[in-house]
Amino acid sequence: FIVSKVWPSHADYDNVIKSANKSAKRLGTYIDLYLLHSPSRVPICKTIKAFEKLVDDGIIRFFGLSNFDVEGIEKAKECVSKYEIVAIQNHYSLLSRGDERKALAYAEKNGMLYMAYTPLENGILSRNEFLSTIGRKYNKSATQVALNWYICRNNLLPIVKASRVEHVEENAGAMGWRLSEEDWRAIDEHFRERSYFLDKMVSTLKSLRPWS
Ligand SMILES: NC(=O)c1ccc[n+]([C@@H]2O[C@H](COP(=O)([O-])OP(=O)(O)OC[C@H]3O[C@@H](n4cnc5c(N)ncnc54)[C@H](OP(=O)(O)O)[C@@H]3O)[C@@H](O)[C@H]2O)c1
């Protein structure tokens, strides 16, 4: 299942068509899911119009958005004429849950797939003691527990980056079993407070940046 994105600086109609066609040619096949990488200065309806044309032409099968808030998704939804926005790809992890009551809840309610990027917080969660302790009950690692926690939610798909073969194999072991409801809730509560403080700290730091 091939997912690709178009950069916001190429979000106008002609460039979306050109970019997707070039990517599909390089790949030698169609793209299953094509996303706008982040909001752009180009009016969103122009990008959506190009996405719909690409579906008609068989270059892409589905389209979606990345780094969009609920307001942005709703605006984009108003532009579709014959297809649906099927997926949203935003930052979400056990340590960064700011999207939980926003885009994630919205996606769940509207039947969209939510793709969580940076789900291991670049490996930080793989070293988490609490997750390791829970994992011992299942003979699973901290990483596998974290990934299983995400996939226990119906519309949530963690997209992990792993360049080492042993990591890919370990991550695949997050599937085929399920955390008990009790353990799922224990993890939920354990990280809820930590995420709240981390999200607050990040937004404070962002607001202090002299260039923002
Ligand atoms: N839409 C967007 O704006 C956006 C932004 C950022 C990222 N993304 C996408 O999200 C995906 C993942 O995000 P990410 O790379 O930022 O973060 P991530 O998946 O949370 O972390 C990747 C790091 O975790 C390590 N790792 C993977 N499996 C592991 C395991 N089993 N044990 C220990 N460490 C492990 C990887 O190591 P190795 O590589 O050494 O295996 C890598 O250093 C990527 O495909 C990226 O393209 C999208």
Side-chain angles (χ1 to χ4, degrees):
F1 192 94
I2 299 172
V3 184
S4 189
K5 287 181 279 188
V6 62
W7 206 242
S9 54
H10 287 160
D12 61 286
Y13 184 88
D14 287 345
N15 270 314
V16 172
I17 301 283
K18 231 188 269 173
S19 305
N21 272 281
K22 279 189 177 172
S23 294
K25 200 168 172 198
R26 282 194 297 269
L27 289 161
T29 182
Y30 55 79
I31 297 160
D32 294 283
L33 175 63
Y34 203 48
L35 308 170
L36 173 59
H37 181 274
S38 48
S40 155
R41 286 193 191 143
V42 174
I44 187 66
C45 287
K46 296 212 157 93
T47 311
I48 297 290
K49 197 172 165 206
F51 282 168
E52 294 200 312
K53 167 87 169 113
L54 288 166
V55 176
D56 286 339
D57 292 350
I59 305 297
I60 67 173
R61 289 176 64 213
F62 301 102
F63 55 83
L65 307 165
S66 178
N67 298 303
F68 270 64
D69 60 15
V70 170
E71 200 188 331
I73 303 168
E74 284 194 317
K75 259 195 198 156
K77 261 172 96 78
E78 283 168 19
C79 308
V80 293
S81 62
K82 43 179 161 171
Y83 303 113
E84 291 294 325
I85 295 166
V86 300
I88 170 87
Q89 186 181 116
N90 281 359
H91 182 199
Y92 177 77
S93 78
L94 278 164
L95 288 170
S96 179
R97 299 173 69 175
D99 234 8
E100 202 156 86
R101 295 197 181 160
K102 299 173 187 166
L104 175 56
Y106 181 88
E108 198 161 34
K109 199 167 148 213
N110 289 277
M112 293 161 76
L113 174 69
Y114 183 98
M115 306 169 83
Y117 72 71
T118 320
L120 295 179
E121 289 298 340
N122 296 306
I124 291 175
L125 283 170
S126 303
R127 298 185 290 276
N128 185 272
E129 237 346 281
F130 185 77
L131 294 174
S132 297
T133 306
I134 299 250
R136 277 195 274 280
K137 285 197 216 172
Y138 301 83
N139 202 17
K140 294 286 176 186
S141 67
T143 308
Q144 291 167 331
V145 171
L147 296 177
N148 194 271
W149 188 88
Y150 300 124
I151 59 176
C152 279
R153 278 183 84 145
N154 277 341
N155 72 322
L156 182 55
L157 178 76
I159 48 165
V160 202
K161 178 240 155 188
S163 46
R164 286 164 57 177
V165 174
E166 59 269 34
H167 283 166
V168 176
E169 284 170 351
E170 183 185 348
N171 299 345
M175 296 179 283
W177 61 283
R178 210 178 166 90
L179 283 163
S180 70
E181 201 173 326
E182 190 193 1
D183 286 334
W184 192 91
R185 285 194 191 288
I187 295 168
D188 188 43
E189 274 161 31
H190 178 85
F191 285 97
R192 188 167 295 278
E193 207 169 296
R194 282 159 182 79
S195 161
Y196 174 78
F197 287 114
L198 204 75
D199 284 340
K200 267 251 175 280
M201 201 171 79
V202 169
S203 61
T204 309
L205 284 173
K206 274 186 184 162
S207 71
L208 292 174
R209 282 192 313 201
W211 58 86
S212 63

